[in-house]
Amino acid sequence: MKRHAWILSLLLAPVTLSAAYTYWLTDYFGTLNTTTWEVNGSPTGGATGFHRSTTPDGSAILKSGVPGGSSNYEVRTQLTLAASGGSYITYLRASLDARINPTGTPVGSFIALEVKNPTFSNGTCSATLNAWRGTGGTLTLLAATTGPCSNGMEVRAVAAGSGWVRLYLNEVLYFA
């Protein structure tokens, strides 16, 4: 099974208790700006956003922290799902070298929220949702479930508090 690239657009914002906040970074990955992003592997950017160009997949990890030193933030990703299959990962609390390596040992430390193997059948789409922790060359599955998917779906990953993360698909909570 091929693993596909995972992000088309990336929006980061400080997490607040109300919905009134301003995004401090928006990137649609028309190009991979290596001043802003640590690029691991061989992903590319272009008119269709962030995608892989070789196997294993790559990652783009933000080089700067959240303004003000907060550890609270969210990442919003819009996925283009043209066909069944693939693995789409959002990294949180990641070291600059973070990457789940499908052909070997994971690299770096991270929490990874994955939409895996979206499958279109009879007009509906479903996918496996995984939460992973990578550290010290070990990958640990923290949680797994299934959820709906669609072309253009939004994946929202939130990191706040003392290490907790949340995963939303189209604003519906799946992991907390």
Side-chain angles (χ1 to χ4, degrees), residues 60-168:
I61 307 298
L62 186 66
K63 288 183 176 180
S64 66
V66 176
S70 175
S71 62
N72 302 331
Y73 61 92
E74 76 175 28
V75 178
R76 288 184 184 236
T77 307
Q78 183 181 12
L79 300 181
T80 298
L81 301 176
S84 295
S87 177
Y88 305 85
I89 300 170
T90 302
Y91 293 92
L92 300 171
R93 305 199 186 289
S95 61
L96 289 178
D97 60 347
R99 185 167 58 150
I100 291 177
N101 188 349
T103 60
T105 303
V107 178
S109 62
F110 54 84
I111 299 291
L113 300 176
E114 177 184 37
V115 176
K116 184 174 184 170
N117 196 26
T119 304
F120 292 91
S121 178
N122 299 321
T124 63
C125 182
S126 63
T128 301
L129 309 175
N130 294 318
W132 300 97
R133 178 183 309 277
T135 186
T138 301
L139 189 62
T140 304
L141 182 64
L142 302 174
T145 191
T146 58
C149 49
S150 62
N151 187 26
M153 70 187 281
E154 180 184 77
V155 177
R156 181 176 167 221
V158 179
S162 59
W164 66 259
V165 297
R166 292 184 177 178
L167 173 68
Y168 298 83

Side-chain angles (χ1 to χ4, degrees), residues 3 9 36 48 54 71 101 111 139 144:
R3 290 175 57 94
S9 64
T36 304
T48 58
T54 62
S71 62
N101 188 349
I111 299 291
L139 189 62

